[in-house]
Amino acid sequence: MPHRGIGLSFLNALIELLYPRLCCVCGTGLTRGENLLCTSCLYDFPFFDAALISGDGLFSSFEEKCRPEGFHSLFYYNKYSKYKNLVHAVKYRSQKELGIFLGKMLGERMRGKIQADAIIPVPLHAAREKKRGFNQSQRIACGISEALGIEVWEDVIVRVKDNISQTGLEPEERRRNVENIFELRNPAKINGKHLLVVDDVITTGATVSSCLKVLADAGNVRYTLACLARPLA
Ligand SMILES: [Zn+2]
């Protein structure tokens, strides 16, 4: 029925007019064929280069038993970079597919470089997850899982304390703020396993190191870390 097709495309055009799809990085209108990021922002994408981090001391604060074997990040940003908008968008915007989209990009870059048994997203406190409607780290983990074919396990660790944001805290305050916020639920499942632990942003690593410390109680656990973004000064 041709008239029906015309009606639908008219409806789509009207929806685009009323709710234009915008680039999550620069905010310009997306054209047909573009999804979430415009072509120009994808072209200039500041992919994280492992050489940038070697020697920057991220793992120095991690205890020996939970020191990661590797670290992967999709991109880096600083306070002047428009790409920091992505970090915000993954957490708060209504574009539900953005975390999965970026997680998939990250997973594709990790292909052939990692041999993990499972992916563990850093959990949010249940109350916060309910308020936000989702856990952004879980979305990223699902994107990585799609790219690498590694399962996401969400039943091994929970966040039992809804700590205040780490933003603006001094290193020692950050460490104390994330003490005892996680609890292990399924130690037998991860004993002897290599885990890919995923967070949205890793700054000083205080939160993720607190998470690894709890996972380490399961015994004989190996780690690799992955995040979407690493802020650089
Ligand atoms: Zn853009």
Side-chain angles (χ1 to χ4, degrees):
M1 287 187 289
H3 65 278
R4 199 172 159 213
I6 289 164
L8 270 180
S9 65
F10 172 74
L11 199 64
N12 283 338
L14 190 67
I15 288 170
E16 267 203 16
L17 199 68
L18 292 173
Y19 305 101
R21 299 179 311 124
L22 304 178
C23 170
C24 297
V25 176
C26 70
T28 60
L30 294 174
T31 58
R32 200 164 289 177
E34 290 179 334
N35 184 31
L36 299 166
L37 274 75
C38 73
T39 308
S40 159
C41 286
L42 271 179
Y43 186 80
D44 290 332
F45 201 80
F47 282 112
F48 186 84
D49 177 350
L52 285 171
I53 191 185
S54 61
D56 86 343
L58 173 63
F59 298 158
S60 61
S61 60
F62 288 52
E63 282 179 30
E64 191 70 48
K65 65 174 178 180
C66 49
R67 201 158 285 171
E69 293 177 18
F71 176 74
H72 301 264
S73 177
L74 180 61
F75 67 99
Y76 66 90
Y77 67 95
N78 63 22
K79 58 182 172 184
Y80 307 108
S81 165
K82 61 185 179 178
Y83 289 87
K84 78 170 188 287
N85 295 338
L86 278 182
V87 172
H88 192 268
V90 162
K91 268 188 202 168
Y92 300 107
R93 292 255 184 88
S94 50
Q95 283 123 332
K96 288 186 179 160
E97 70 274 46
L98 181 63
I100 294 175
F101 175 85
L102 295 173
K104 218 166 148 185
M105 264 171 90
L106 174 58
E108 272 153 21
R109 286 174 67 80
M110 289 163 66
R111 199 172 284 152
K113 297 178 188 159
I114 161 150
Q115 296 269 329
D117 297 300
I119 305 173
I120 311 271
V122 171
L124 281 183
H125 187 267
R128 185 170 297 248
E129 182 165 344
K130 196 172 172 201
K131 201 170 156 200
R132 187 172 291 171
F134 61 92
N135 170 6
Q136 69 276 12
S137 300
Q138 189 266 357
R139 299 270 162 151
I140 299 159
C142 286
I144 298 175
S145 170
E146 253 183 64
L148 297 179
I150 302 172
E151 269 184 56
V152 178
W153 289 352
E154 294 182 76
D155 56 351
V156 292
I157 187 162
V158 289
R159 196 165 186 142
V160 289
K161 239 163 68 181
D162 195 10
N163 58 299
I164 58 160
S165 162
Q166 295 280 75
T167 313
L169 298 184
E170 294 297 319
E172 180 52 27
E173 294 172 313
R174 278 175 176 255
R175 201 190 53 73
R176 257 181 311 173
N177 188 36
V178 294
E179 239 169 35
N180 307 318
I181 62 170
F182 298 106
E183 257 178 39
L184 191 58
R185 284 295 146 86
N186 211 338
K189 191 168 176 175
I190 58 167
N191 174 273
K193 297 285 195 278
H194 185 164
L195 306 176
L196 176 64
V197 178
V198 174
D199 208 353
D200 54 347
V201 174
I202 294 181
T203 309
T204 63
T207 305
V208 81
S209 112
S210 171
C211 180
L212 297 193
K213 222 161 98 180
V214 171
L215 291 168
D217 289 340
N220 197 19
V221 183
R222 295 163 58 203
Y223 305 101
T224 295
L225 282 188
C227 66
L228 266 197
R230 172 100 170 118
L232 295 180

